[in-house]
Amino acid sequence: MKINIQRESVVTYEVNMEGATLLEVLNEIKRAQDPSLAYSSGCRSGVCGSCAVRVNGREVLACSHNAKDGDLVEPLRNTPILRDLVVDMEKAYSFNAKAKAWQSSLADNIELSEENQQINELQSDCILCASCYSACPVYAVNEEFLGPFSLTRVWRYVSDKRESDPKEKIDVAQTNGVWDCTLCNECTLVCPQGISSKADIEKLRSKSSMFGYMDPSFSNFGGGFNDGSPVF
């Protein structure tokens, strides 16, 4: 079985490991053939997200992908490459802070029912693997776009009934955020957790409208402003 890995150029390795995961193949290549090969890994169980790469043009977790003859393995896109398959995630993760994607404050005396907990249960499963960032065509051309997993996390807290100031997060998501997404659904297709950031962004758009915002691409109508400002 031949595995092609994008380094400074594409390097082909041959291994006899049918049925192995890509991470197992990478470990064997590093052990037996090329100790200089660099890649990231952690839990080996599809939980930490650190081994995300692109295989044949699609984002996957190396620990979950079954390697096949002829696979082309590349680093994630839209992030600086440190070496081989290792990328710098610092800027991508920084958008969580920029989007205020955390529980700001808890309203008093609110208990969550089982139904309330299920509203954002899936979004809480995000493992920050950045597969969605790599697949996102908007992030490819707009480096300030808050991006899929940050906006998913914004929705996770905006939809939490205990959040006392959801408007603060909605306000932040107006610039380089919910209206910049093309709703192409590429983020959903590559998410190893089955999270649809597209659906979460659509819900954030709906919530934005409830707070008086509108899509800035629409022409000025009814006394509002064509810049994402609230319309009253």
Side-chain angles (χ1 to χ4, degrees):
M1 179 170 65
K2 293 182 178 179
I3 299 294
N4 306 296
I5 301 178
Q6 179 67 56
R7 305 184 73 180
E8 292 184 359
S9 60
V10 176
V11 180
T12 300
Y13 299 92
E14 190 161 354
V15 294
N16 184 21
M17 297 184 67
E18 299 295 333
T21 66
L22 176 58
L23 181 56
E24 291 171 334
V25 171
L26 294 176
N27 287 339
E28 179 61 17
I29 291 172
K30 188 173 183 70
R31 184 193 69 80
Q33 298 186 40
D34 190 348
S36 70
L37 178 63
Y39 54 93
S40 298
S41 66
C43 68
R44 298 176 295 176
S45 301
V47 175
C48 73
S50 62
C51 65
V53 293
R54 283 168 53 85
V55 177
N56 304 328
R58 178 65 69 183
E59 287 73 11
V60 301
L61 297 183
C63 67
S64 302
H65 174 75
N66 290 325
K68 299 177 180 62
D69 183 42
D71 276 351
L72 171 61
V73 186
E74 302 171 284
L76 296 180
R77 297 186 300 180
N78 305 326
T79 53
I81 299 172
L82 297 178
R83 180 178 166 188
D84 299 341
L85 303 176
V86 181
V87 297
D88 185 353
M89 294 301 304
E90 182 175 355
K91 183 169 184 180
Y93 291 153
S94 73
F95 286 115
N96 283 334
K98 187 174 181 180
K100 299 187 177 181
W102 59 75
Q103 191 91 58
S104 298
S105 55
L106 295 175
D108 294 333
N109 302 319
I110 293 182
E111 294 184 4
L112 293 183
S113 66
E114 184 176 345
E115 182 179 357
N116 294 152
Q117 294 176 31
Q118 291 176 351
I119 290 174
N120 49 46
E121 183 177 20
L122 181 59
Q123 288 79 2
S124 300
D125 291 337
C126 174
I127 58 176
L128 300 178
C129 66
S131 291
C132 57
Y133 265 86
S134 176
C136 178
V138 178
Y139 193 64
V141 297
N142 179 5
E143 293 184 352
E144 298 308 312
F145 179 47
L146 294 177
F149 70 64
S150 290
L151 291 172
T152 273
R153 291 170 77 85
V154 169
W155 173 250
R156 183 258 177 270
Y157 292 111
V158 165
S159 62
D160 191 322
K161 293 186 179 301
R162 297 169 299 177
E163 174 60 51
S164 63
D165 189 14
K167 185 178 183 300
E168 177 188 35
K169 303 185 189 309
I170 292 296
D171 290 345
V172 172
Q174 301 308 302
T175 303
N176 292 315
V178 294
W179 306 112
D180 295 81
C181 175
T182 64
L183 304 179
C184 68
N185 206 41
E186 288 297 319
C187 51
T188 304
L189 296 176
V190 301
C191 179
Q193 300 295 84
I195 299 169
S196 176
S197 289
K198 170 183 176 289
D200 295 336
I201 290 168
E202 288 178 317
K203 286 180 282 192
L204 283 172
R205 287 184 175 186
S206 178
K207 183 70 74 171
S208 296
S209 298
M210 295 172 62
F211 282 108
Y213 289 103
M214 65 178 292
D215 187 341
S217 66
F218 292 162
S219 60
N220 187 20
F221 179 75
F225 297 92
N226 190 28
D227 60 357
S229 301
V231 179
F232 300 106

